[in-house]
Amino acid sequence: MNSLNISKVDLNRISLPIQNFKTLRDENKIYVDKTSLIASLAKLTTPIFLSRPRRFGKTLLASTFASLFSHGVKDFKGLDIENEWQDQYEYPVIMLTFSSYARVSIDVFTNDFCNDIILKFYKQFPYLKNLDIPKNITPHLLLSLFIDNIKESKIVVLIDEYDSPITHTFENELLQSQILQYMSSFFDVIKSYLYKIRFIFITGITKIAHVSLFSDINFLTDITYDSKYLSLLGLTDYEIHKYYDVYIKNAAKVLGISEKSVYSRLKSFYDGYQFSVESQETVYNPWSFLNFILNPAQGFKNYWYMSGGTPSILMNYLNGNTNSTSRLLDKNELLDIFNDNNYVKVFKKSDLQIKTSIDNIPISILLLQTGYFTLRKLNLFEICLALPNAEVSDSLILLLMHAQNTNISNDTKNNLLNLPKMLDNLCIDDIAKLFSSILIESISPNSNAFKNENALRDIIFIMIPDGLVDKARENPNACGFYDLELATKKTKICIEFKRSTSSHNDNVVLEEGIAQIKQRKYGSGRRKCTRVVMVINSELREITKVKIVDVE
C-alpha cells in the first residue's frame, strides 16, 4: 500500500461496511492499528463502558475484543498488540448485540434475548445443552443458570448497543418499562458474577443512569470522555495520511483538484469530533471518510445523516414521543446555534458526568451523545458544545426540517432540475426566485433562521441535489471566503448573500455586498466567473435584491 501508482489503487481493501474483525483481517482489508489502546483496555479487570455516535465503529471494536480474548494474537499479526499482549489464556467469549432483539412485545423481546444467550453459551460450552431449562425462563435467570454451571474459571462478556431496546420504545411506555425491568435484572446478575468474568465491555450511544448497570458508579469505568482513549474510534489526521494517502491522491485525480484541497475539504466536512477536553486532538467520522474515498466522483456528500444521523431516541424527543419532564429543545432554537464561532452551550466539566434517566436527558447532552455536537475547551473550568464539521452542520438543518415537518414542494424540486440551464443562461433573477422558494418552504414561520445568513446559505446549499451542478460554499481565495459557488461545465457564478433588516435596508446591504466582492475579487482564477450579490430580507423572508457585479 505504499505505492503511489494511482492506477493500481485497490478499492477492495477498504473495510466498509465490515464489522467483524476476523473477516476484515482474513480478507486483507485496511485496518487502522489502534491495538495499543485496545491492549491497554483489555488489561483492565473493571467493566468498561464506551459511548459514541452511530457509525463510529463500536461493533467492530467489540468484535476485535472478541477475537483477542478468544484466540490471543492469532488475528493480529503485524499489529502493535502482537508484542504487547502477554495473556496466554483463551477465554470463552459471550457477545450479545441488544439491537438484534425484536421489540414488538415483551414476550418477543425476552424470547429473542433468551435465544441469543442460549446460542452464545451453547457455542462456547456445548455441555450446557444437557441442562434442563425451565419453560418461560427470564433472561437474567437463564444467565445465572448458565454461569453457575460453566466449568471454566473466567469468561468474557461483550454487550453491543445496550441502549437500543430502550431508545426504540419511547412510543410504547409499558413495553419500555418492561424491557427496562428485564435489562436491570440482567445487569444485576452480571454484577453478582464479576468474580467469574475476566473482562466486560459495553457500548451504546446514550448513558442511562437508572438502568441498574449504571446505578453503581464503582461498578463501571466510563471511558467516553477519557483523553487516553479519545482516538480509539474515528480516524486522526496522522492515520489518514499513513493508511489512506494513496486514496487521497486518487480522489484528487478523479476530482481534478490538488491533494491539498482534498485534505482540506475532508477536514472541513468530516473531521472535528473531540471526545476529550484535555486534548485538542480531533477525529474524522470513519463512515463518511471511507464512503468518500470509495467513490470520490460523488464529491463530499453527507453520508452520515441518512445512514446514522437520526437515532431513534433523538427523533422521539424532537417529535414529542417521550415522557420527559426535562425541558426539550425548542425546535426553533436549533437554528440559533449557527453563530459565528459555532459555540452552542457553555457548561462545567462536571456536567459531562451528570446522571441521566430515560425520562430526563438534557437535550444538549443528548445531541452531544448522538454526534450533533462535540466538545471544545474554553478555559480551565468551562467547556462548550460545538458543531464538529460541515456534514453535521447540514445534518442539523435536515434534523430541524424533520422536526418541523417542513420540506420543499414538488414544484420547487422540479424547478431545481432547471438550475443548470439557469446558470448557463445567467438567469440570475430566476435563480433568486428559486432560492426564495427553498427558504420559504424549508423554514417554519416561527423559526429564527432568518436572523443568520450562514444558516440560510447552508439551507440553500443542501437543497441543491448532489451531482446536479458543481457546488461549494465558503471557498477561499487570498482575500477571504465567498458564500456559494455554483458551476456547470460552461458557467461558474459566485454568490455573496447579505441579510437586510429594518435598520439595515436592502439597498444599503446590496451596496455593501458589491463593495465586498470588488474588494476581495471572489472567484478569481483561471475560469471565467460571474459574481453576484443576493439580498435576503429578514422581514419579508425572501430574496429581494439581486445584482450581477461583474464577470471576470
Side-chain angles (χ1 to χ4, degrees):
M1 282 306 300
N2 293 324
S3 171
L4 300 184
N5 189 342
I6 295 174
S7 64
K8 294 184 179 180
V9 168
D10 187 1
L11 294 177
N12 290 322
R13 293 205 65 211
I14 304 302
S15 58
L16 194 76
I18 296 174
Q19 295 181 318
N20 182 278
F21 177 76
K22 187 178 187 311
T23 300
L24 183 149
R25 298 290 286 172
D26 288 346
E27 296 184 2
N28 193 32
K29 304 292 186 180
I30 293 175
Y31 175 71
V32 175
D33 191 354
K34 297 177 183 285
T35 56
S36 284
L37 292 176
I38 290 171
S40 175
L41 280 174
K43 292 173 184 176
L44 300 179
T45 56
T46 56
I48 298 164
F49 173 74
L50 174 66
S51 168
R52 284 292 185 268
R54 294 185 68 183
R55 300 302 190 187
F56 261 81
K58 297 187 294 295
T59 299
L60 176 60
L61 178 60
S63 173
T64 307
F65 281 122
S67 180
L68 177 64
F69 282 106
S70 295
H71 310 294
V73 294
K74 176 183 176 182
D75 297 321
F76 294 80
K77 299 301 181 183
L79 300 178
D80 291 342
I81 199 173
E82 190 176 16
N83 298 319
E84 297 180 24
W85 188 246
Q86 302 300 321
D87 193 339
Q88 300 299 313
Y89 188 77
E90 294 184 354
Y91 298 87
V93 174
I94 305 299
M95 181 169 171
L96 305 174
T97 303
F98 279 23
S99 61
S100 64
Y101 309 152
R103 300 168 292 269
V104 294
S105 70
I106 192 60
D107 289 338
V108 173
F109 173 79
T110 54
N111 184 68
D112 282 1
F113 200 167
C114 286
N115 284 340
D116 195 20
I117 295 171
I118 290 171
L119 178 66
K120 301 304 169 53
F121 271 90
Y122 279 0
K123 182 178 180 179
Q124 297 295 332
F125 314 103
Y127 57 82
L128 292 179
K129 295 178 182 179
N130 297 323
L131 288 177
D132 183 20
I133 299 177
K135 189 177 181 180
N136 298 323
I137 191 171
T138 60
H140 72 283
L141 291 178
L142 178 63
L143 177 66
S144 180
L145 175 67
F146 282 161
I147 295 180
D148 273 336
N149 285 276
I150 59 176
K151 300 171 184 177
E152 285 74 6
S153 58
K154 295 278 188 176
I155 64 172
V156 168
V157 177
L158 308 172
I159 297 173
D160 193 26
E161 299 187 71
Y162 92 93
D163 53 342
S164 182
I166 307 168
T167 60
H168 282 78
T169 51
F170 273 106
E171 72 285 353
N172 189 332
E173 185 179 357
L174 175 60
L175 177 59
Q176 185 185 71
S177 175
Q178 293 170 327
I179 287 175
L180 279 168
Q181 290 176 9
Y182 280 111
M183 288 179 61
S184 295
S185 298
F186 176 83
F187 288 121
D188 276 339
V189 170
I190 286 182
K191 283 189 283 187
S192 68
Y193 282 102
L194 285 180
Y195 66 96
K196 297 196 73 172
I197 303 176
R198 160 64 179 84
F199 182 77
I200 300 175
F201 183 70
I202 303 155
T203 78
I205 295 176
T206 57
K207 183 181 178 184
I208 301 169
H210 81 208
V211 177
S212 65
L213 168 65
F214 301 116
S215 61
D216 183 354
I217 193 169
N218 296 318
F219 167 65
L220 201 65
T221 298
D222 184 357
I223 63 169
T224 298
Y225 304 118
D226 189 328
S227 60
K228 184 176 181 181
Y229 302 107
L230 66 90
S231 63
L232 181 63
L233 296 179
L235 299 169
T236 65
D237 277 319
Y238 171 78
E239 289 165 341
I240 285 179
H241 281 274
K242 178 179 179 180
Y243 293 93
Y244 297 104
D245 188 63
V246 69
Y247 294 94
I248 303 304
K249 294 178 186 295
N250 178 62
K253 181 179 179 181
V254 169
L255 295 173
I257 59 178
S258 68
E259 295 166 33
K260 183 178 180 180
S261 293
V262 175
Y263 274 113
S264 175
R265 294 189 190 184
L266 281 170
K267 194 167 189 65
S268 172
F269 272 82
Y270 307 129
D271 189 21
Y273 292 93
Q274 189 175 343
F275 294 115
S276 171
V277 295
E278 304 306 324
S279 171
Q280 296 300 311
E281 187 172 33
T282 59
V283 294
Y284 292 73
N285 180 323
W287 173 262
S288 299
F289 172 78
L290 293 176
N291 268 289
F292 168 78
I293 62 173
L294 271 172
N295 195 353
Q298 292 187 4
F300 300 87
K301 294 178 60 176
N302 186 336
Y303 293 100
W304 179 68
Y305 182 79
M306 298 308 296
S307 65
T310 53
S312 295
I313 186 170
L314 186 53
M315 289 295 94
N316 279 296
Y317 261 68
L318 294 177
N319 290 328
N321 297 330
T322 74
N323 300 308
S324 175
T325 56
S326 65
R327 188 188 74 82
L328 300 184
L329 184 71
D330 184 335
K331 294 170 185 177
N332 295 326
E333 290 180 40
L334 278 173
L335 276 175
D336 288 345
I337 72 172
F338 288 88
N339 47 45
D340 291 338
N341 54 17
N342 276 349
Y343 290 152
V344 185
K345 181 179 175 62
V346 178
F347 55 98
K348 298 176 182 178
K349 293 180 185 179
S350 58
D351 291 340
L352 289 177
Q353 304 303 326
I354 187 173
K355 283 197 171 184
T356 59
S357 64
I358 199 64
D359 56 357
N360 188 19
I361 303 177
I363 191 65
S364 56
I365 297 298
L366 184 56
L367 286 167
L368 171 65
Q369 292 174 340
T370 52
Y372 280 90
F373 295 161
T374 193
L375 299 175
R376 294 289 186 265
K377 184 176 182 178
L378 289 181
N379 53 50
L380 189 61
F381 303 105
E382 292 181 316
I383 58 178
C384 69
L385 303 182
L387 295 169
N389 53 49
E391 182 180 48
V392 174
S393 176
D394 289 351
S395 296
L396 195 58
I397 292 175
L398 293 170
L399 180 72
L400 172 72
M401 293 177 63
H402 177 97
Q404 294 180 330
N405 195 28
T406 56
N407 203 348
I408 59 176
S409 67
N410 288 331
D411 285 343
T412 300
K413 290 177 182 177
N414 291 332
N415 285 335
L416 268 169
L417 299 179
N418 294 320
L419 182 58
K421 186 182 295 184
M422 295 179 191
L423 289 172
D424 285 341
N425 294 321
L426 288 182
C427 300
I428 303 301
D429 288 337
D430 291 338
I431 294 173
K433 289 178 183 177
L434 175 61
F435 289 173
S436 286
S437 297
I438 290 173
L439 295 176
I440 291 168
E441 295 167 7
S442 299
I443 304 173
S444 167
N446 298 321
S447 175
N448 292 323
F450 280 90
K451 295 180 180 179
N452 189 296
E453 65 187 45
N454 284 347
L456 300 173
R457 183 273 319 279
D458 288 345
I459 290 171
I460 292 171
F461 179 86
I462 64 175
M463 287 297 113
I464 298 173
D466 292 326
L468 182 66
V469 297
D470 291 334
K471 60 177 184 175
R473 58 193 155 169
E474 291 198 337
N475 266 358
N477 68 5
C479 300
F481 296 83
Y482 57 85
D483 285 327
L484 183 63
E485 175 185 299
L486 301 174
T488 65
K489 292 181 179 180
K490 177 182 175 182
T491 308
K492 181 173 82 170
I493 69 170
C494 296
I495 303 172
E496 178 69 20
F497 291 106
K498 305 300 289 185
R499 186 177 62 88
S500 69
T501 63
S502 56
S503 59
H504 211 53
N505 67 42
D506 291 358
N507 292 324
V508 171
V509 297
L510 178 65
E511 291 303 319
E512 289 177 355
I514 292 172
Q516 185 174 324
I517 283 181
K518 289 181 177 180
Q519 178 185 1
R520 300 185 180 181
K521 295 190 177 296
Y522 292 144
S524 295
R526 288 175 294 177
R527 190 174 180 185
K528 183 178 178 181
C529 176
T530 300
R531 302 188 186 94
V532 179
V533 177
M534 292 188 180
V535 176
I536 304 173
N537 187 296
S538 297
E539 279 74 34
L540 298 178
R541 305 168 70 83
E542 62 182 353
I543 296 172
T544 50
K545 293 282 185 179
V546 181
K547 177 72 173 179
I548 295 179
V549 178
D550 58 24
V551 179
E552 181 178 296

